[in-house]
Amino acid sequence: MAEPELRVLLVCLGNICRSPAAHGVLVHQLAQAGLAGRVAVDSAGTGDWHVGRPPDPRMLSAAQQRGYDLSPLRARQVCAADFDEYDYILAMDNSNLVDLRALAGASRAHIALFLSFGDTALREVPDPYYGGDEGFVEVLELVEAGSRGLIARLKQDLPA
Ligand code: 4NP
């Protein structure tokens, strides 16, 4: 299999709710678009509290109900090498974006909000961790729309 041509890292605070959801949804949509082998996807958290753990059970369950299997994912923390390896490093909210920019150094990666490529009313994916089940459904709806917008952008970067 050829090397991926683009690398995308999706980042939230804990890497157990929002960025794993975005990870699973983006991988699913890339496969549907015939781009599975051309774009590498990973996710990470700015924090280290949940490193090594699977996604939050509420996120796993909400994702499963929409057809996404997040169970193989394990949390990891953003590291310095990410800023050399990834072309796009995309934050779920403005706080994550500020933290990423502080770590970025001279990175040539495109560091932005994940929802900045689509047409969602929100520009940030709200943190569902301390809320009810409906927050996890909202995360999935937002990252589905965000992934569509991001894929349209990635297609512009990929040679036909
Ligand atoms: P995430 O959600 O950033 O979407 O993974 C959170 C997960 C854990 C915590 C906060 C947000 N926490 O405070 O432990």
Side-chain angles (χ1 to χ4, degrees):
M1 188 97 155
E3 282 284 295
E5 293 155 72
L6 285 174
R7 290 178 170 74
V8 177
L9 182 65
L10 305 165
V11 178
C12 63
L13 180 61
N15 194 210
I16 57 168
C17 297
R18 293 165 293 173
S19 61
H23 185 161
V25 168
L26 181 60
V27 164
H28 183 90
Q29 289 189 11
L30 284 167
Q32 284 185 329
L35 297 173
R38 298 185 69 186
V39 182
V41 180
D42 197 11
S43 59
T46 57
D48 67 356
W49 310 281
H50 303 284
V51 167
R53 302 226 184 103
D56 186 289
R58 299 166 294 173
M59 194 75 255
L60 281 172
S61 163
Q64 189 75 51
Q65 285 176 38
R66 289 172 94 90
Y68 308 107
D69 179 14
L70 307 185
S71 65
L73 301 178
R74 294 295 178 269
R76 73 168 180 88
Q77 189 174 26
V78 172
C79 64
D82 290 327
F83 293 92
D84 296 326
E85 287 171 16
Y86 287 89
D87 301 293
Y88 285 85
I89 302 179
L90 302 176
M92 295 297 131
D93 67 27
N94 280 316
S95 167
N96 309 145
L97 185 61
V98 167
D99 290 343
L100 286 172
R101 292 221 162 111
L103 295 168
S107 175
R108 49 155 202 88
H110 188 86
I111 301 172
L113 285 175
F114 174 69
L115 293 183
S116 62
F117 305 98
D119 57 1
T120 47
L122 295 182
R123 277 292 176 259
E124 300 179 273
V125 183
D127 184 348
Y129 191 70
Y130 294 105
D133 288 346
E134 68 285 353
F136 293 84
V137 175
E138 182 186 23
V139 167
L140 287 163
E141 289 171 353
L142 283 167
V143 301
E144 284 172 346
S147 291
R148 283 193 290 274
L150 175 60
I151 288 174
R153 165 64 177 256
L154 298 178
K155 281 180 175 170
Q156 293 174 5
D157 293 351
L158 290 167

